[in-house]
């Protein structure tokens, strides 16, 4: 187990290992997403209160969950980079930021679209919406900080520190926004995830889509990390061998 | 500077604070500019939003808190920038004294220089914004507990960006999201007091955040400075 972990720390081994896992992961993701989305969007019965509208939850809920998970993941890899100086950890953390920001944006956008038919408004300053918006700001800050540095190494370390500061702050922000919301608006009970009322044919596709989206996230993360590896190791022998090999292959084809 | 390897911790902290205060009073812009920013920005709200006192009293605590927060953020530049340029920041990092306390001393002096004047004027502007008298005490207590947190968090952001040539707006993007809890609890104390609810619990929360910030943020500031000075 430990050996495997250390091997993934080497950019070259990360590249060759993921080469083997990626096709499997992609097929599993396609099957999960295809089944889940087709089932959820076309075949599950409409909700007795929200009608067809609730189907957006199949996209919205996994995105909103992943948005938070991605931040935690970024912070873990940042810590890994700061503590053990694992280069791949920083490359993964770097890949997390734009993916996390777009997932958060999709969660907000789908939430907004869902808000119109169900709540009658695009946006309310609800605690969950507000803290998701703030999380988007945190992601944007990390991306902006990284792009401001010329030196890859300083940028990496600065972003790692900022991610860790953010992860300490995130619960405080979440708590403060929850509290703020209950003070300023009467507690409007907007809980939409009343799982008890949902029959299995509603939540099983959600389960499929959830894992499918997770797979999609991992694929995007791995691809981005691989690009970053190639970019940073472009002077290494194995990368030029790889490029030559690819050129030969396409030459034969 | 003096040979400080034999100095006690207390005298080093005092010496750091004295140095910072002396530097500030020799270039008084560092003291006056945040204050003037605060005064002018607060004045803009009645001009832009209308001088109706019912409207003003509704936004008074928010305006004062947001303006204070922005003033502190803009003032952070003077905390490390000059030291970075003349090399005294490197000396600070190489000092045999514990960096943790040196950084706390620097942030404390920054608070004295940039925040204390704002704190003194805040009640005056609260009255000008038609805030009821019951809200003034929680406003001041909240600012007293909250502005050091803002300075400590701002110092993290400034330490991360001090090596970059133009960092003003980047600093805002980095640290304004982190300022949100202080803003929420600070304005919450005032609204609680105006609804004749107890606000001591919120003040205690603010104090807890201050303790957390004092414990942890010097570590982050030190790590960030080591990256920037490199």
């Amino acid at each position: 187990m430990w050996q495997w972990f250390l091997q993934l720390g080497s950019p070259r081994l990360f590249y060759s290992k993921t080469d083997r896992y990626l096709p499997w992961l992609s097929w599993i993701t396609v099957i999960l997403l295809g089944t889940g989305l087709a089932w959820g969007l076309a075949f599950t019965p409409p909700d007795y209160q929200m009608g067809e509208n609730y189907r957006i939850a199949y996209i919205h809920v996994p995105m909103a969950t992943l948005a938070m998970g991605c931040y935690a993941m970024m912070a873990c890899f940042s810590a890994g980079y700061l503590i053990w100086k694992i280069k791949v950890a920083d490359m993964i953390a770097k890949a997390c930021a734009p993916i996390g920001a777009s997932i958060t944006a999709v969660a907000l956008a789908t939430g907004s679209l869902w808000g119109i038919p169900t709540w009658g408004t695009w946006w309310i300053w609800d605690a969950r919406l507000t803290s998701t918006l703030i999380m988007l700001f945190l992601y944007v800050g990390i991306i902006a900080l990284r792009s401001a540095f010329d030196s890859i190494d300083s940028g990496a370390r600065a972003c790692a520190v900022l991610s860790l500061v953010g992860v300490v702050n995130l619960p405080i922000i979440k708590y403060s926004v929850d509290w703020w919301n209950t003070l300023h608006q009467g507690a409007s009970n907007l809980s939409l995830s009343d799982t008890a009322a949902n029959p299995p044919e509603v939540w099983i596709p959600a389960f499929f889509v959830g894992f499918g989206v997770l797979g999609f996230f991992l694929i995007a993360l791995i691809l981005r990390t691989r690009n970053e590896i190639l970019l940073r190791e472009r002077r290494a022998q194995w990368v030029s061998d790889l490029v030559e090999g690819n050129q030969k292959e396409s030459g034969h084809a | 500077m003096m040979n400080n390897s034999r100095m006690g911790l207390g005298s080093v902290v005092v010496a750091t604070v004295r140095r910072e205060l002396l530097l500030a009073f020799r270039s008084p812009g560092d003291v006056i500019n945040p204050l003037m920013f605060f005064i002018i920005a607060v004045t803009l709200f009645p001009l832009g939003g209308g001088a109706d006192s019912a409207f003003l009293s509704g936004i008074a605590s928010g305006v004062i808190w947001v303006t204070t927060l922005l003033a502190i953020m803009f003032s952070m530049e003077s905390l490390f920038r000059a030291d970075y340029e003349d090399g005294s920041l490197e000396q600070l990092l190489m000092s045999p004294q514990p960096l943790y306390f040196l950084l706390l001393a620097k942030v404390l002096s920054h608070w004295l220089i940039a925040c204390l004047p704002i704190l003194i004027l805040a009640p005056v502007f609260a009255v000008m914004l038609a805030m009821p008298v019951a809200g003034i005490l929680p406003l001041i207590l909240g600012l007293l507990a909250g502005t050091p947190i803002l300075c400590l968090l701002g110092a993290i952001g400034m330490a991360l960006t001090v090596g970059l040539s133009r960092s003003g707006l980047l600093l805002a993007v980095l640290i304004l999201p982190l300022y949100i809890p202080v803003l929420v609890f600070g304005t919450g104390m005032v609204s609680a007091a105006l609804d004749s609810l107890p606000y001591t619990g919120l003040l205690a929360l603010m104090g807890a955040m201050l303790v957390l910030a004092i414990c942890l943020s010097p570590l982050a500031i030190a790590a960030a400075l080591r990256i920037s000075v490199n």
Side-chain angles (χ1 to χ4, degrees):
Chain A
M1 174 66 200
W2 187 239
Q3 191 68 30
W4 179 81
F5 177 74
L6 285 180
Q7 279 184 351
L8 276 186
S10 136
R12 184 182 176 176
L13 278 165
F14 182 93
Y15 197 91
S16 57
K17 291 253 173 188
T18 50
D19 230 12
R20 246 180 294 155
Y21 301 146
L22 259 182
W24 289 99
L25 190 58
S26 313
W27 277 113
I28 295 171
T29 303
V30 166
I31 292 167
L32 282 174
L33 268 186
T35 334
L37 284 180
W39 191 355
L41 296 186
F43 296 108
T44 43
D47 185 76
Y48 79 102
Q49 266 182 330
M50 286 185 278
E52 307 285 348
N53 293 323
Y54 84 99
R55 293 184 200 280
I56 203 165
Y58 286 115
I59 310 289
H60 176 73
V61 174
M63 287 296 174
T65 316
L66 250 186
M68 264 178 282
C70 180
Y71 198 94
M73 190 169 174
M74 183 169 71
C76 289
F77 279 104
S78 297
Y81 174 69
L82 275 188
I83 296 166
W84 293 295
K85 305 270 180 288
I86 308 172
K87 276 189 187 163
V88 173
D90 169 57
M91 298 185 204
I92 296 174
K94 182 183 179 185
C96 277
I99 302 175
S102 12
I103 287 175
T104 313
V106 170
L108 283 171
T110 49
S112 228
L113 289 175
W114 197 8
I116 269 292
T118 46
W119 301 341
T121 171
W122 293 104
W123 183 265
I124 52 162
W125 290 95
D126 164 69
R128 259 195 224 179
L129 274 73
T130 314
S131 51
T132 310
L133 185 67
I134 296 167
M135 196 154 61
L136 180 62
F137 297 158
L138 290 175
Y139 277 122
V140 169
I142 285 169
I143 297 171
L145 182 66
R146 167 113 37 193
S147 65
F149 277 91
D150 291 327
S151 141
I152 290 180
D153 190 49
S154 308
R157 289 197 289 155
C159 281
V161 171
L162 186 64
S163 314
L164 292 180
V165 171
V167 97
V168 172
N169 269 275
L170 210 55
I172 302 177
I173 293 176
K174 184 116 178 73
Y175 174 74
S176 71
V177 171
D178 275 344
W179 180 84
W180 161 79
N181 178 258
T182 44
L183 183 83
H184 286 252
Q185 304 184 339
S188 43
N189 191 5
L190 293 169
S191 168
L192 296 166
S193 54
D194 192 2
T195 37
N198 287 334
E201 63 263 37
V202 172
W203 62 257
I204 290 175
F207 190 75
F208 273 71
V209 180
F211 279 94
V213 166
L214 181 64
F216 174 78
F217 166 74
L218 288 177
I219 292 171
L221 189 67
I222 290 172
L223 287 178
R224 268 187 169 273
T225 311
R226 282 160 62 94
N227 280 345
E228 190 67 25
I229 288 175
L230 290 184
L231 189 70
R232 289 198 201 173
E233 305 271 306
R234 62 186 178 279
R235 309 220 189 285
Q237 186 61 41
W238 69 271
V239 175
S240 44
D241 288 348
L242 191 80
V243 173
E244 265 174 38
N246 278 359
Q247 277 169 349
K248 266 182 205 160
E249 239 171 62
S250 55
H252 285 301
Chain B
M1 279 181 70
M2 305 162 253
N3 172 18
N4 57 8
S5 57
R6 290 198 190 154
M7 288 170 75
L9 187 59
S11 48
V12 171
V13 168
V14 171
T16 313
V17 174
R18 272 191 57 187
R19 171 184 180 267
E20 297 290 319
L21 293 183
L22 197 62
L23 282 174
F25 285 102
R26 286 192 183 152
S27 59
D30 289 349
V31 187
I32 293 170
N33 288 347
L35 188 64
M36 285 316 291
F37 171 83
F38 173 79
I39 293 172
I40 296 170
V42 168
T43 313
L44 295 181
F45 283 89
L47 293 173
D52 172 32
S53 66
F55 165 73
L56 282 182
S57 67
I59 60 163
S61 68
V63 166
I64 287 179
W65 263 101
V66 170
T67 323
T68 309
L69 185 148
L70 291 175
I72 291 176
M73 191 199 73
F74 287 127
S75 77
M76 279 345 278
E77 190 84 10
S78 66
L79 177 60
F80 292 131
R81 174 70 68 199
D83 283 0
Y84 176 77
E85 279 164 3
D86 67 12
S88 38
L89 203 54
E90 277 175 52
Q91 299 301 316
L92 187 84
L93 291 181
M94 288 192 298
S95 150
Q97 303 293 342
L99 189 56
Y100 185 94
F101 292 100
L102 292 180
L103 290 173
L104 273 185
K106 267 187 89 71
V107 177
L108 170 70
S109 4
H110 185 80
W111 182 80
L112 291 173
I113 295 161
C115 298
L116 202 56
I118 295 180
L119 246 73
I120 293 169
L121 271 194
V124 177
F125 281 87
V127 173
M128 283 167 72
L129 291 174
M131 183 190 278
V133 181
I136 306 254
L137 184 64
L139 178 76
I140 298 169
L141 291 176
L143 285 170
L144 259 178
T147 46
I149 307 177
L150 300 179
C151 286
L152 286 162
L153 289 174
I156 300 177
M158 196 56 223
L160 283 170
T161 55
V162 71
L164 307 167
S165 51
R166 271 180 296 172
S167 55
L169 283 174
L170 178 64
L171 182 68
V173 173
L174 298 188
I175 62 174
L176 285 183
L178 305 180
Y179 278 2
I180 288 168
V182 175
L183 174 69
V184 167
F185 289 124
T187 50
M189 280 171 65
V190 178
S191 357
L194 293 185
D195 295 341
S196 7
L197 294 167
Y199 59 85
T200 42
L202 291 172
L203 183 60
L205 274 174
M206 194 83 110
M209 290 201 294
L210 177 60
V211 172
L212 189 71
I214 290 176
C215 291
L216 293 183
S217 53
L219 304 174
I221 301 170
L225 282 179
R226 290 221 163 84
I227 297 165
S228 292
V229 169
N230 217 347

